[in-house]
């Protein structure tokens, strides 16, 4: 056979082999795609439906609630149509049902349904506009690794594991779709937060009109609790009052409440009133204990009574105001004052301050500015070391005084010091005594100034 014929035969055979391999490959790929598609289809619990869902029913051990979609395209509770709802949560749950898939299938799992929490689970049913049942599923416990939820469907003895996101949306109880929160107030633009407590305590938290004193301090003032408005520490305020008030929400709903006396609203444990600078207002009234770690409450603008978690209420009720406030009597720099007088029963020294020219006199004589600066630092460092609990003896006389006159307004800040015990002075601020301070701080100031005036 000639060389050319041999090459031609080999070429034809090679083409045939390649063509056969290509055909086999195409067949294999098609079979593989079909297998993958079949496996994916097998993981579908509910096929996708074009039906328009008009009724959604949620059942649990606490009861059954039916949600109907009205002509306004919003969902409404059957029999309580005016109750505010979180519309998007219902729509999201129904969207998850449409084409719902599972990640794992436990054959015969329903024989031990209680192991998966399915005997006490949440059952979700969705009906179309003709009243035909489209989807129905019961969701139980979270999986041990918390990446999914156990679920089952009618007529199937298998238990399925569905992803965490749809599982969470489909495990909401009947009341979970209700708007649980008090009336809106913008807490970033707060005008006043007012707290009134049954035992007679009453105070307000208001923005400081002068602005924040330093980072995290003095943005807000505590008003009405002590004899003067005291700057507060921001994170302490948030931890003990602001945060707990903001986190109060309805747990259980009583849509046809009895009289106020039934829940203790006639003599409330506490009333929280909030307002912002945009005109929004909210009042939360706290009544008696309701059991299971909850107390009765009612929110302004809502026609129901509810329960809220007692833990949040207790945080506000038990808040220690002294822990929240800053501990300085003076929060201004020296140039805020035109005159400062320090005296006791043996001497008196008055600093006249010319802040513009950065000069100062003591009892009319020029004095060193840096020396005065150190004296003022000691004055500004006098702290509130505790609350003055015990009254002073009748006719008690002050042992020292620091009098500061503001240069802009002429207002006077007058601090008088009285013997309180061996370690502390009671401090009378403009005629009222709220706090005590350590004796050493005043004695260091008076001794230093006395040495300068003699």
């Amino acid at each position: 056979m000639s060389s050319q014929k041999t090459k031609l035969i080999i070429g034809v055979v090679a083409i045939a082999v390649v063509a056969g391999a290509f055909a086999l490959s195409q067949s294999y790929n098609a079979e593989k795609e079909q297998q993958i598609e079949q496996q994916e289809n097998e993981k579908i619990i509910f096929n996708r439906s074009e039906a328009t869902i008009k009724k959604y029913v949620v059942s649990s051990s606490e009861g059954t609630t039916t949600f109907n979609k009205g002509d306004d395209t919003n969902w409404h509770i059957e029999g309580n149509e005016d109750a505010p709802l979180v519309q998007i949560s219902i729509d999201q749950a129904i969207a998850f049902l449409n084409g719902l898939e599972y990640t794992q299938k436990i054959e015969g799992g329903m024989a031990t349904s209680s192991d998966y929490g399915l005997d006490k689970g949440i059952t979700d049913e969705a009906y179309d506009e003709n009243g035909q049942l489209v989807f129905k599923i019961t969701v139980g416990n979270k999986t041990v690794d918390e990446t999914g939820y156990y679920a089952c469907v009618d007529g199937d003895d298998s238990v399925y594991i569905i992803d965490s996101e749809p599982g969470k949306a489909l495990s909401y109880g009947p009341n979970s779709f209700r708007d649980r929160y008090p009336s809106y107030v913008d807490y970033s633009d707060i005008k006043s937060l007012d707290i009134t407590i049954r035992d007679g305590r009453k105070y307000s938290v208001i923005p400081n009109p002068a602005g924040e004193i330093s980072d995290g301090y003095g943005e807000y003032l505590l008003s009405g609790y002590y004899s003067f408005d005291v700057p507060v520490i921001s994170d302490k305020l948030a931890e003990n009052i602001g945060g707990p008030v903001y986190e109060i929400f309805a747990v259980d709903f009583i849509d046809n409440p009895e009289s106020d006396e039934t829940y203790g609203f006639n003599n409330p444990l506490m009333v929280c009133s909030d307002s912002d600078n945009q005109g929004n207002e909210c009042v939360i009234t706290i009544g008696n204990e309701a059991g299971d770690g909850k107390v009765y409450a009612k929110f302004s603008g809502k026609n129901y009574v509810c329960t809220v978690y007692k833990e949040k209420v207790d945080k506000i009720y038990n808040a220690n105001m002294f822990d929240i406030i800053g501990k300085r009597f003076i929060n201004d720099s020296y140039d805020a004052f035109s005159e400062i007088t320090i005296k006791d029963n043996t001497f008196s020294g008055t600093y006249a301050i010319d802040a513009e020219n950065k000069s100062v006199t003591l009892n009319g004589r020029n004095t060193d500015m840096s020396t005065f600066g150190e004296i003022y630092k000691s004055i500004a460092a006098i702290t509130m070391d505790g609350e003055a609990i015990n009254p002073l003896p009748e006719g008690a006389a002050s042992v020292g005084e620091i009098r500061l006159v503001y240069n802009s307004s002429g207002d006077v800040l007058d601090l008088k010091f009285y013997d309180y015990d061996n370690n502390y002075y009671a401090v009378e601020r403009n005629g009222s005594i709220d706090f005590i301070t350590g004796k050493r701080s005043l004695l260091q100031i008076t001794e230093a100034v006395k040495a300068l005036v003699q």
Side-chain angles (χ1 to χ4, degrees):
M1 186 179 293
S2 70
S3 174
Q4 283 186 332
K5 285 184 177 180
T6 301
K7 290 179 180 178
L8 179 61
I9 292 170
I10 291 172
V12 170
V13 171
I15 291 171
V17 170
V18 171
F22 179 76
L24 182 62
S25 173
Q26 288 290 92
S27 175
Y28 174 80
N29 289 339
E31 183 179 344
K32 188 68 175 177
E33 288 178 4
Q34 185 178 5
Q35 184 180 5
I36 292 172
E37 184 178 351
Q38 184 178 356
Q39 288 175 345
E40 291 299 321
N41 288 337
E42 287 176 353
K43 289 191 174 183
I44 294 176
I45 296 178
F46 297 123
N47 290 317
R48 291 198 171 274
S49 172
E50 298 299 324
T52 300
I53 303 302
K54 301 289 284 185
K55 182 167 76 170
Y56 185 60
V57 181
V58 182
S59 303
S60 73
S61 58
E62 64 185 70
T64 297
T65 300
T66 299
F67 302 92
N68 296 311
K69 178 163 279 192
D71 295 335
D72 58 358
T73 73
N74 286 329
W75 292 97
H76 302 275
I77 295 178
E78 190 169 279
N80 190 15
E81 282 72 16
D82 294 331
L85 300 174
V86 183
Q87 299 286 329
I88 192 172
S89 295
I90 304 175
D91 290 330
Q92 185 182 50
I94 294 170
F96 278 127
L97 284 171
N98 200 11
L100 183 65
E101 298 180 358
Y102 65 88
T103 59
Q104 187 178 336
K105 183 178 182 179
I106 304 171
E107 301 281 357
M110 285 303 291
T112 54
S113 61
S114 60
D115 291 348
Y116 309 103
L118 294 166
D119 57 329
K120 297 179 181 178
I122 302 292
T123 299
D124 303 284
E125 304 169 60
Y127 297 82
D128 64 17
E129 63 267 34
N130 298 315
Q132 296 297 312
L133 179 65
V134 180
F135 307 115
K136 182 176 180 180
I137 191 170
T138 298
V139 180
N141 296 338
K142 274 187 178 181
T143 56
V144 175
D145 61 5
E146 297 191 348
T147 61
Y149 285 76
Y150 297 108
C152 66
V153 295
D154 286 354
D156 190 338
D157 66 354
S158 297
V159 171
Y160 299 92
I161 296 178
I162 59 177
D163 280 336
S164 178
E165 192 175 3
K168 181 180 179 181
L170 295 170
S171 64
Y172 288 140
N175 283 332
S176 299
F177 298 104
R178 297 189 62 165
D179 183 354
R180 297 175 172 273
Y181 293 92
S183 301
Y184 173 77
V185 168
D186 186 350
Y187 285 90
S188 66
D189 190 26
I190 197 75
K191 179 180 179 182
S192 180
L193 167 59
D194 306 314
I195 306 292
T196 302
I197 297 176
R198 184 185 287 168
D199 63 13
R201 286 176 289 162
K202 186 175 182 179
Y203 60 87
S204 300
V205 176
I206 58 175
N208 186 348
E212 191 176 48
I213 295 169
S214 60
D215 186 31
Y217 173 61
E219 182 181 2
Y220 298 97
L221 304 174
L222 176 67
S223 180
Y225 193 85
Y226 297 110
S227 63
F228 61 101
D229 293 349
V230 190
V232 299
I233 304 167
S234 297
D235 60 351
K236 293 293 185 182
L237 172 65
E239 176 186 347
N240 292 277
I241 300 174
V245 170
Y246 184 74
E247 294 163 3
I248 288 176
F249 62 88
V251 180
D252 308 300
F253 295 88
I254 303 170
D255 289 310
N256 297 296
E258 300 178 40
S259 64
D260 281 355
E261 290 81 1
T262 304
Y263 311 104
F265 299 141
N266 58 317
N267 182 26
L269 175 72
M270 185 168 64
V271 177
C272 305
S273 303
D274 312 333
S275 61
D276 62 28
N277 291 309
Q278 303 161 33
N280 299 308
E281 296 182 353
C282 172
V283 179
I284 302 171
T285 304
I286 305 297
N288 297 334
E289 291 193 25
D292 297 326
K294 292 174 279 191
V295 294
Y296 292 113
K298 64 177 179 178
F299 305 153
S300 59
K302 311 291 185 179
N303 58 7
Y304 56 75
V305 166
C306 62
T307 63
V308 301
Y309 287 121
K310 186 174 182 291
E311 175 189 6
K312 302 299 180 184
V313 172
D314 286 348
K315 191 76 173 176
I316 306 164
Y317 184 87
N318 295 321
N320 186 331
M321 296 298 106
F322 189 72
D323 290 342
I324 293 169
I325 62 172
K327 304 301 189 292
R328 302 199 296 263
F329 284 99
I330 299 167
N331 293 283
D332 302 283
S333 60
Y334 79 89
D335 55 8
F337 304 101
S338 60
E339 187 177 286
I340 300 175
T341 298
I342 301 100
K343 64 181 181 179
D344 63 14
N345 296 327
T346 63
F347 86 101
S348 177
T350 298
Y351 286 99
I353 305 157
D354 184 350
E356 185 176 347
N357 295 309
K358 295 185 178 180
S359 63
V360 63
T361 62
L362 174 59
N363 286 354
R365 300 192 306 271
N366 289 330
T367 189
D368 182 61
M369 191 70 178
S370 62
T371 302
F372 165 71
E374 293 302 314
I375 295 290
Y376 184 76
K377 284 181 183 178
S378 297
I379 293 172
I382 297 174
T383 55
M384 306 166 186
D385 297 330
E387 294 178 324
I389 306 299
N390 302 319
L392 295 179
E394 188 175 347
S398 68
V399 297
E401 180 178 357
I402 299 176
R403 185 175 183 272
L404 304 96
V405 180
Y406 283 91
N407 57 24
S408 58
S409 63
D411 292 340
V412 174
L413 173 56
D414 192 24
L415 304 177
K416 291 182 179 179
F417 300 82
Y418 297 81
D419 277 317
Y420 188 76
D421 59 24
N422 292 334
N423 299 309
Y424 294 99
Y425 290 128
V427 183
E428 180 184 273
R429 182 188 184 278
N430 289 355
S432 297
I433 297 176
D434 295 298
F435 304 103
I436 58 176
T437 193
K439 287 186 174 181
R440 178 181 292 272
S441 56
L442 176 66
L443 293 175
Q444 288 177 334
I445 296 167
T446 54
E447 288 173 3
V449 177
K450 185 188 297 186
L452 293 171
V453 299
Q454 289 178 344

